[in-house]
Amino acid sequence: MKLKKVVSLLLALVMSFALAAPAFAAEPDDGNEGIMPLAQVYSKEPVSCSSGNGVGPFTTTPSNGKYLQVWFHNQGSAPVVVILTDAAGNEITHKTFAVGDTGNSIVYVIPTPDKPCTYRVRFECPPSGAWITGEVAAAQYTYNPNPNA
């Protein structure tokens, strides 16, 4: 009976060491990889505005990554056009948010220049007088976090 307990204990130790080997084989994390952003340049914030208004400014820093991801979640009932502009108001890119209902989001990614750059996010709503509600955020990544966006 005592022999069975000793064999069980030894077997448990062998299995524990077998699980530890793959953990030691992992490479150290350098902090620049993975799905987490290096810098949250515009924290997730509620948006409630009329057409033509937006959020920002926020500035990217080259050392925080080469990609800027902008995210917008529409919580209103109207379609919205999300426009990323530079500090002067020139349009960099835009996406049309055609379906205005809860549960749909826009995510797009642009490469950032090798110098600090200031951006704003502007919202347009094709039906005049429609109110835009939702959430917006922007972050910098070393690698493109969404290559299909």
Side-chain angles (χ1 to χ4, degrees):
M1 183 75 170
K2 195 170 188 172
L3 182 62
K4 287 184 180 181
K5 289 182 181 180
V6 171
V7 171
S8 296
L9 179 63
L10 287 176
L11 187 58
L13 284 172
V14 168
M15 289 191 303
S16 297
F17 287 125
L19 291 174
F24 290 122
E27 294 181 20
D29 185 16
D30 68 352
N32 291 331
E33 297 182 20
I35 61 171
M36 297 299 295
L38 283 180
Q40 191 78 24
V41 291
Y42 192 84
S43 296
K44 186 172 158 183
E45 183 174 298
V47 173
S48 184
C49 64
S50 60
S51 185
N53 291 312
V55 298
F58 52 88
T59 303
T60 60
T61 305
S63 63
N64 287 338
K66 296 196 176 287
Y67 293 93
L68 173 67
Q69 175 178 288
V70 176
W71 174 84
F72 175 71
H73 180 79
N74 189 11
Q75 295 173 334
S77 59
V80 177
V81 178
V82 180
I83 304 163
L84 181 66
T85 67
D86 61 15
N90 301 314
E91 181 178 314
I92 308 251
T93 187
H94 73 277
K95 276 201 175 183
T96 302
F97 188 71
V99 181
D101 65 350
T102 303
N104 291 303
S105 299
I106 289 177
V107 175
Y108 57 94
V109 178
I110 63 163
T112 58
D114 291 334
K115 60 181 180 168
C117 194
T118 301
Y119 299 95
R120 295 178 188 273
V121 178
R122 189 174 77 231
F123 306 100
E124 298 289 339
C125 202
S128 61
W131 200 253
I132 299 164
T133 58
E135 294 177 314
V136 66
Q140 271 186 271
Y141 292 80
T142 301
Y143 300 102
N144 189 343
N146 190 359
N148 299 324

